[in-house]
Amino acid sequence: MKDPTVKDDAHHYGYRKNFRVALPQFLAVSVKNLVLLSYGMTLGFPTILIPAVKDPIDVEVLKLNNSEISWISSINLIIVPLGCALSGIVTTPMGRRRAMQMVNIPFFIAWLIFHYSSTANHLYGALFLTGLAGGLLEAPVLTYVAEITQPHLRGALTATSSMCIIIGVFTQFLFGLLMYWRTVALVNIFFALIAILALFFIPESPHWLVMKKRHDDARKSLQWLRGWTTAQDVELELKDIQALFKRKKAETGQEETFMEKLSYYLDKSFLVPFFLVSYAFFVGHFSGMTTLQTYAVSIFQTLEAPIDKYYATLILGLLQIIGCGTCVMLVHYTGKRILTFFSTFSAGICCLLVAGYEGYIKTQDVFGNSSLPMNTSNTTSGIINGDLQNGYSWIPTTLLMLLALLTHTGIRLLPWILIGEVFSAKTRSGAAGIASAVGYIFGFLTNKTYISMVDVLSFWGTYGFYGIICLTGCVVFYFILPETEGKKLYDIENHFAGIKKLTNEVYRSKKNINKESSKLRDLQGNTNPTFEGDNITIRQ
């Protein structure tokens, strides 16, 4: 006799999918996001700092030259990957929650240094601290959300991470319009303090507690996270988590050697998802959005945008937030594969259209074959001061705005979502730090090579290259990206280990959960349930 297939943890463990069950997970992730908000502020702060120290007001003691300013914009890119690589090693022993609290301390110190700085070295020291702390937080924040959430909520709640970083960047643009940069640094301190205090009110990851053999604490953590429920209600999920950490050496009580731990990172269960995440970072950064975000003002100036280049940059930031919000709302229903295909393909088309437009304009300039009148003041034709590009500058501007929106609905967020769920329980923390470091290195390479690429390939050739990367990415993702939305971490781990393949079906919430859960309990009265992946088979 077989019970109907059950598609997610609510069925698997008998939880009700109601507001009470989802609320504590939302609260815990929201508190975690306060840390990412602070990190986003450190990324946005140099934007208001650089012009203030390049052309300072009369009472300002800091005045930096171009060479010194170039370090302000690059120190973070150099240090963050170092912090990412150390993240899993440094933060795993202390736990996810405590690690998130500790990384706020460097943020707190850095903001004080910014406020009282009197030399360029003070600024460099503060930027070093923010970069190191930003890298160290990657493993705890990425693994925490994956380990505390149910599969049907994991994708949407993970996607809020990138959105909060972007909101943090955007707050600095707004604060910079209202306050002097030293005052902004003081205001930012309060966000770090709030994050530290708020983290005391959420539980530690049950996965980390089980790894440390604190099984009673893990049970209490699950009770809190699953709607402040009873110990009996979380027992099945606790057993599944315990199964993730069972190994021969652990069962015999022997401590794992360094080589045994290293072997986990040479196994297929690590290498395959690591390639997937790294490739997702590569496509996400070379989709054209990373360079657009960094060089937005100069790009809009080059394209002679029909609106002020600074307002265009603010609109770009708003569209990134809207894109992230769209991803958060849709990922549970569409799954990650569809969003990724749509986002990556659309980004490729936008890049190719921008390249085509710029290539066409350059061709007209070189050969003088344009049928539009040149050297005329005919504004009816949309040609201002005889410049062909001015009349149609809204085209590339609009396409780049669309690029910001579309990339953040999928491909820009995809690797950050995958990091927390595709790696095995034994490598999750370390792998999160290493993969994040790879992501930041790709971001650094994208920005570092942009100017050289424009010199060699021109602007239209550069964005043409980005477009080809995106379209190629669609094909590669079709073969290597499994649908992980709604799937349990145990089944995802088995997929990459080659034990059991995941289907491309999105596991969504069901409307008749209470009825089926009741039915399941009735069937279990005289039977022995056997759990098989996402399915529950009731055997007589």
Side-chain angles (χ1 to χ4, degrees):
M1 177 179 175
K2 223 178 218 188
D3 187 66
T5 296
V6 180
K7 295 299 186 182
D8 50 38
D9 275 0
H11 287 73
H12 186 99
Y13 304 120
Y15 297 134
R16 293 189 304 272
K17 280 189 194 162
N18 53 26
F19 179 73
R20 179 171 175 172
V21 176
L23 178 61
Q25 298 172 66
F26 174 78
L27 291 176
V29 172
S30 296
V31 170
K32 179 270 303 180
N33 283 341
L34 290 175
V35 183
L36 293 177
L37 187 71
S38 295
Y39 176 53
M41 290 176 170
T42 67
L43 297 179
F45 188 71
T47 304
I48 64 175
L49 171 64
I50 288 174
V53 295
K54 184 177 183 179
D55 297 306
I57 58 177
D58 293 337
V59 295
E60 178 57 62
V61 296
L62 282 172
K63 181 177 175 61
L64 274 60
N65 57 41
N66 288 335
S67 176
E68 293 170 321
I69 287 174
S70 68
W71 279 106
I72 291 178
S73 62
S74 61
I75 286 179
N76 194 56
L77 291 172
I78 298 171
I79 302 302
V80 170
L82 173 63
C84 289
L86 297 173
S87 182
I89 300 172
V90 173
T91 63
T92 296
M94 66 179 70
R96 320 303 192 210
R97 186 184 67 173
R98 189 175 298 174
M100 289 188 285
Q101 289 176 310
M102 294 300 292
V103 296
N104 275 282
I105 296 176
F107 287 150
F108 178 87
I109 297 173
W111 292 128
L112 285 177
I113 295 175
F114 275 127
H115 179 73
Y116 292 106
S117 59
S118 57
T119 68
N121 288 332
H122 291 160
L123 298 180
Y124 299 157
L127 289 166
F128 178 90
L129 285 176
T130 58
L132 184 63
L136 289 174
L137 66 81
E138 293 295 342
V141 301
L142 291 171
T143 54
Y144 184 76
V145 65
E147 294 176 348
I148 68 167
T149 55
Q150 293 170 288
H152 70 284
L153 297 173
R154 188 187 307 126
L157 292 178
T158 304
T160 61
S161 299
S162 295
M163 183 169 68
C164 285
I165 293 176
I166 293 173
I167 292 174
V169 173
F170 193 73
T171 60
Q172 300 305 282
F173 298 159
L174 295 179
F175 290 170
L177 293 174
L178 302 173
M179 297 173 282
Y180 190 54
W181 68 271
R182 293 183 183 271
T183 306
V184 173
L186 277 184
V187 172
N188 291 342
I189 289 177
F190 290 100
F191 289 90
L193 290 176
I194 291 171
I196 292 174
L197 295 175
L199 284 163
F200 281 110
F201 296 95
I202 62 174
E204 179 57 83
S205 161
H207 286 249
W208 183 84
L209 293 169
V210 168
M211 182 174 66
K212 295 298 181 180
K213 297 182 175 59
R214 294 167 55 182
H215 300 288
D216 289 338
D217 290 335
R219 185 179 291 106
K220 293 176 183 178
S221 174
L222 277 175
Q223 288 178 246
W224 194 98
L225 292 166
R226 298 300 178 256
W228 305 283
T229 187
T230 64
Q232 184 180 0
D233 287 339
V234 301
E235 196 62 33
L236 286 176
E237 185 173 2
L238 179 61
K239 288 181 179 179
D240 267 8
I241 295 173
Q242 290 168 337
L244 292 174
F245 294 92
K246 283 183 179 178
R247 295 290 187 272
K248 282 186 177 181
K249 294 295 184 182
E251 291 174 346
T252 58
Q254 297 181 25
E255 190 69 25
E256 292 176 321
T257 65
F258 173 78
M259 293 305 298
E260 287 172 334
K261 293 179 180 179
L262 180 62
S263 67
Y264 295 135
Y265 293 89
L266 302 176
D267 191 72
K268 177 182 178 181
S269 62
F270 167 78
L271 295 175
V272 174
F274 179 73
F275 171 78
L276 170 62
V277 174
S278 298
Y279 184 74
F281 272 124
F282 170 75
V283 177
H285 282 298
F286 282 91
S287 63
M289 189 57 229
T290 299
T291 52
L292 175 60
Q293 184 171 288
T294 305
Y295 299 99
V297 174
S298 62
I299 287 176
F300 285 126
Q301 184 175 7
T302 300
L303 296 176
E304 299 182 15
I307 58 176
D308 181 81
K309 55 184 178 292
Y310 294 103
Y311 286 123
T313 303
L314 285 175
I315 295 173
L316 200 72
L318 285 173
L319 288 173
Q320 291 179 58
I321 296 174
I322 294 172
C324 289
T326 302
C327 180
V328 170
M329 291 186 293
L330 293 182
V331 68
H332 173 58
Y333 301 99
T334 65
K336 301 179 184 72
R337 277 173 63 89
I338 291 178
L339 273 182
T340 300
F341 294 150
F342 170 76
S343 172
T344 309
F345 179 79
S346 301
I349 296 300
C350 285
C351 288
L352 290 177
L353 289 176
V354 170
Y357 170 85
E358 283 297 298
Y360 173 77
I361 292 298
K362 298 304 179 186
T363 301
Q364 300 304 310
D365 290 343
V366 172
F367 297 103
N369 293 328
S370 174
S371 59
L372 296 171
M374 305 294 286
N375 299 320
T376 176
S377 60
N378 184 3
T379 57
T380 305
S381 301
I383 301 173
I384 304 174
N385 296 325
D387 189 349
L388 174 64
Q389 188 166 349
N390 271 339
Y392 294 90
S393 60
W394 62 269
I395 296 177
T397 302
T398 303
L399 288 171
L400 292 179
M401 295 293 186
L402 282 174
L403 182 67
L405 176 66
L406 293 168
T407 53
H408 284 83
T409 60
I411 186 57
R412 292 282 288 180
L413 275 64
L414 175 68
W416 297 110
I417 297 175
L418 292 177
I419 279 180
E421 59 185 17
V422 297
F423 294 108
S424 68
K426 286 289 187 180
T427 62
R428 190 171 294 129
S429 291
I434 297 171
S436 299
V438 171
Y440 282 107
I441 290 172
F442 277 134
F444 170 76
L445 291 175
T446 306
N447 284 333
K448 189 67 175 177
T449 59
Y450 173 72
I451 295 177
S452 298
M453 288 179 67
V454 171
D455 289 340
V456 175
L457 303 176
S458 77
F459 183 83
W460 69 269
T462 301
Y463 268 80
F465 174 77
Y466 292 156
I468 294 172
I469 292 292
C470 289
L471 296 183
T472 305
C474 288
V475 178
V476 176
F477 283 133
Y478 179 82
F479 293 102
I480 70 171
L481 177 63
E483 182 54 74
T484 60
E485 185 60 27
K487 313 292 175 65
K488 297 192 302 297
L489 295 178
Y490 181 77
D491 291 327
I492 296 172
E493 180 176 336
N494 284 340
H495 170 86
F496 288 108
I499 298 173
K500 179 183 177 182
K501 293 294 183 183
L502 292 175
T503 67
N504 288 331
E505 179 184 358
V506 180
Y507 286 4
R508 303 185 183 91
S509 306
K510 306 294 183 184
K511 294 181 179 180
N512 59 341
I513 291 167
N514 291 332
K515 183 188 297 184
E516 292 189 10
S517 296
S518 176
K519 182 179 178 182
L520 194 59
R521 287 193 295 271
D522 292 340
L523 287 169
Q524 288 175 332
N526 298 309
T527 58
N528 181 24
T530 300
F531 295 91
E532 299 177 349
D534 286 293
N535 301 333
I536 297 180
T537 302
I538 307 298
R539 291 198 171 91
Q540 294 282 17

